Amino acid sequence: MNKYIFAIAVSVLTLISSCEEDKRFAIYSDDSTPPGIPIIDSVKLLNGGARFYFRPPADDDVLSVNAEYLTTSGKLFTFSASYFSDSLDVYGLGDTQKHTINLYTLDRGGNRSTNLPYDITPLEPVVSRVEKTLKVVPGFSSFYVDWRNELMESVNVFVNFKYSYGGENKDVEMIFTSHDTINRQFIRNLNLGPSDKIDVKVKIEDRYGNTTGELDKGSIYLLQDVLISKAAWTMPDTNDSIAGVPMCFANFREGRIRYLVDDVIDAYSLANYTHTGSMGRTGKSGGNVPWNVLIDLGDYYELSRIVTHQRHGTAGDLAPMARGQYYQSENVGQFNVYYLAETPDSSYWVKMSSCKIPLPTGLNNMDIFRQGQAGDMFYMFPDEPKFSPPTRWFRYEAISSFSDNYTGTGANCLSEITLYGKK
């Protein structure tokens, strides 16, 4: 019986509390009395802003604590926190000068308190922090732009580059948007000679309209390499080892290892790819990744780039421009590349780089198909584009699939390996 009375009491109290809360959010058209101003306990400076720790005024109808500021261009930015919060963040200031922030409260009748002006000097904003890290790096038939964004705020990076091609002046602008901490964006397929100059300027802008203005990054000249012919390439048999590393098994079902170097890109139901059948290491169950493709180049080459193509087709026919298997669980998402160093006494594999194929974002299936057909390109030495020492043997090591954030072990398939460099 006591339990029953207690339950009723709790229900009544809950109902009263709920009703009181509903009253707070009800709108009263006849209320014209403004609430009191917020009480600021402390302020923490942020990059491009500040965090105000507050207490709302004693008014029982306060709904929110707000802040606003006017930019030099006349744009008003407003920020809000509910009355039961203890802090309010203000962002978007584009420099480290003193700024006045007006804080105020709103009540359920739509009344606004008088302004409480508060002067702050924010920490360095995101645009200038990104600017300090941005680099333009020339590569092979392309160049890339690197930057770091440790605040992980969304920024736009405008890349404007000018060059002459075939007697015609080209003026191109590309825009890259990202909030990632580490960023690298390529401008590819520039068929220019070693003396063809590219003038590059960049601009960084945040979502509040703050900008660095146009930054002149000077002139760059691209590095030169050529497509290496596959006519003389050969590969060992499964489990035959070169410098202690065994050749993979990749002849499961319709897959054949020879398809990797036949210059035919898998599409639809063509079935021109390798397949490890989850036995890539040795051809026996119980071991798939890492599996290795060892290629005898037929001569000594200095290597610069690799382009890989994924399996596209499935067991059935695919519709035109369908995504198919591109960037899915059975394709290789991460791999390593090596060259064989030879001395009079020994031979050993030297790792050049680890390659992680980015998952496409914001693309429809047709665009993903086109991206998959174009292949995924990586420099052998991505942070400092250059050639490898002369080598006759190349090693591709499959590490994982795209699934489970690049930890999946079902990386069974690959369609083509293409290499660039010079003899």
Side-chain angles (χ1 to χ4, degrees):
M1 185 67 180
N2 290 337
K3 292 182 178 179
Y4 178 70
I5 294 173
F6 177 76
I8 293 176
V10 170
S11 297
V12 170
L13 289 172
T14 302
L15 180 60
I16 292 172
S17 175
S18 175
C19 290
E20 291 300 317
E21 195 70 12
D22 288 343
K23 287 180 182 178
R24 174 177 284 276
F25 289 98
I27 301 298
Y28 289 86
S29 59
D30 57 349
D31 178 12
S32 60
T33 303
I37 61 174
I39 302 164
I40 305 303
D41 290 325
S42 62
V43 178
K44 179 182 178 181
L45 298 179
L46 303 174
N47 296 96
R51 177 170 297 153
F52 293 89
Y53 291 93
F54 67 82
R55 284 175 287 141
D59 307 65
D60 60 4
D61 61 348
V62 169
L63 289 181
S64 64
V65 174
N66 304 272
E68 65 183 25
Y69 66 85
L70 197 65
T71 67
T72 54
S73 62
K75 188 171 184 180
L76 182 69
F77 283 100
T78 303
F79 304 83
S80 181
S82 65
Y83 77 97
F84 52 79
S85 299
D86 66 353
S87 65
L88 169 62
D89 287 353
V90 173
Y91 286 108
L93 299 169
D95 54 46
T96 55
Q97 304 299 313
K98 185 170 73 172
H99 294 265
T100 298
I101 309 298
N102 287 313
L103 296 110
Y104 59 93
T105 57
L106 288 177
D107 66 15
R108 66 190 182 197
N111 301 303
R112 171 174 170 158
S113 73
T114 57
N115 286 338
L116 171 64
Y118 206 105
D119 290 340
I120 64 167
T121 303
L123 303 179
E124 185 179 21
V126 61
V127 290
S128 59
R129 287 174 65 95
V130 169
E131 175 191 345
K132 292 176 180 177
T133 69
L134 191 140
K135 297 188 300 182
V136 176
V137 181
F140 296 96
S141 297
S142 61
F143 68 92
Y144 63 80
V145 181
D146 268 359
W147 72 90
R148 295 183 66 87
N149 181 6
E150 294 175 350
L151 300 178
M152 299 182 70
E153 293 283 339
S154 181
V155 295
N156 298 320
V157 176
F158 298 77
V159 181
N160 177 267
F161 57 101
K162 300 178 181 180
Y163 62 97
S164 296
Y165 182 76
E168 182 179 352
N169 293 328
K170 304 287 186 179
D171 189 341
V172 182
E173 183 173 73
M174 303 183 74
I175 305 173
F176 303 104
T177 301
S178 173
H179 56 75
D180 295 335
T181 304
I182 300 174
N183 298 268
R184 174 168 292 171
Q185 294 290 345
F186 280 86
I187 290 87
R188 305 180 187 272
N189 301 322
L190 300 172
N191 298 313
L192 301 175
S195 60
D196 293 329
K197 181 179 68 170
I198 304 175
D199 297 319
V200 184
K201 295 181 179 180
V202 300
K203 182 177 72 173
I204 303 156
E205 183 182 77
D206 67 14
R207 59 193 173 119
Y208 300 99
N210 300 307
T211 177
T212 58
E214 202 167 50
L215 306 169
D216 192 343
K217 306 304 285 188
S219 300
I220 60 173
Y221 298 85
L222 303 186
L223 304 176
Q224 307 296 308
D225 60 3
V226 297
L227 177 69
I228 299 176
S229 171
K230 303 175 186 178
W233 290 10
T234 59
M235 292 179 287
D237 294 331
T238 297
N239 286 332
D240 284 355
S241 293
I242 303 296
V245 176
M247 178 69 178
C248 70
F249 166 78
N251 294 321
F252 184 72
R253 292 182 179 167
E254 68 275 16
R256 294 294 180 268
I257 192 65
R258 67 176 182 271
Y259 293 155
L260 272 183
V261 296
D262 64 357
D263 280 325
V264 178
I265 308 304
D266 180 58
Y268 304 114
S269 57
L270 181 62
N272 193 279
Y273 52 83
T274 62
H275 198 310
T276 68
S278 296
M279 301 180 289
R281 273 185 242 167
T282 64
K284 298 178 181 179
S285 54
N288 194 33
V289 291
W291 47 265
N292 291 272
V293 177
L294 311 178
I295 300 176
D296 180 352
L297 303 175
D299 209 332
Y300 284 84
Y301 290 88
E302 298 174 32
L303 305 176
S304 60
R305 295 185 279 159
I306 179 173
V307 176
T308 61
H309 286 83
Q310 305 169 43
R311 171 191 178 186
H312 175 245
T314 61
D317 291 334
L318 294 174
M321 301 292 189
R323 174 174 183 165
Q325 294 296 310
Y326 283 147
Y327 308 96
Q328 306 277 28
S329 60
E330 279 202 287
N331 276 307
V332 177
Q334 285 192 115
F335 61 92
N336 297 329
V337 289
Y338 303 78
Y339 72 88
L340 186 68
E342 299 177 85
T343 70
D345 300 321
S346 65
S347 299
Y348 54 94
W349 293 104
V350 177
K351 183 178 177 180
M352 292 180 282
S353 67
S354 296
C355 307
K356 183 177 181 179
I357 301 174
L359 279 166
T361 57
L363 301 180
N364 59 33
N365 284 343
M366 183 180 296
D367 289 334
I368 293 175
F369 169 81
R370 289 172 175 152
Q371 185 170 310
Q373 285 285 290
D376 300 291
M377 186 273 287
F378 295 90
Y379 294 151
M380 299 300 180
F381 300 95
D383 295 325
E384 185 184 349
K386 61 182 180 180
F387 292 98
S388 74
T391 186
R392 179 161 182 151
W393 284 88
F394 170 78
R395 172 184 165 198
Y396 169 100
E397 181 186 31
I399 300 298
S400 65
S401 71
F402 292 95
S403 61
D404 300 321
N405 194 26
Y406 293 90
T407 63
T409 61
N412 295 323
C413 299
L414 183 65
S415 174
E416 194 74 19
I417 291 176
T418 301
L419 300 176
Y420 289 79
K422 63 181 180 180
K423 199 167 183 178

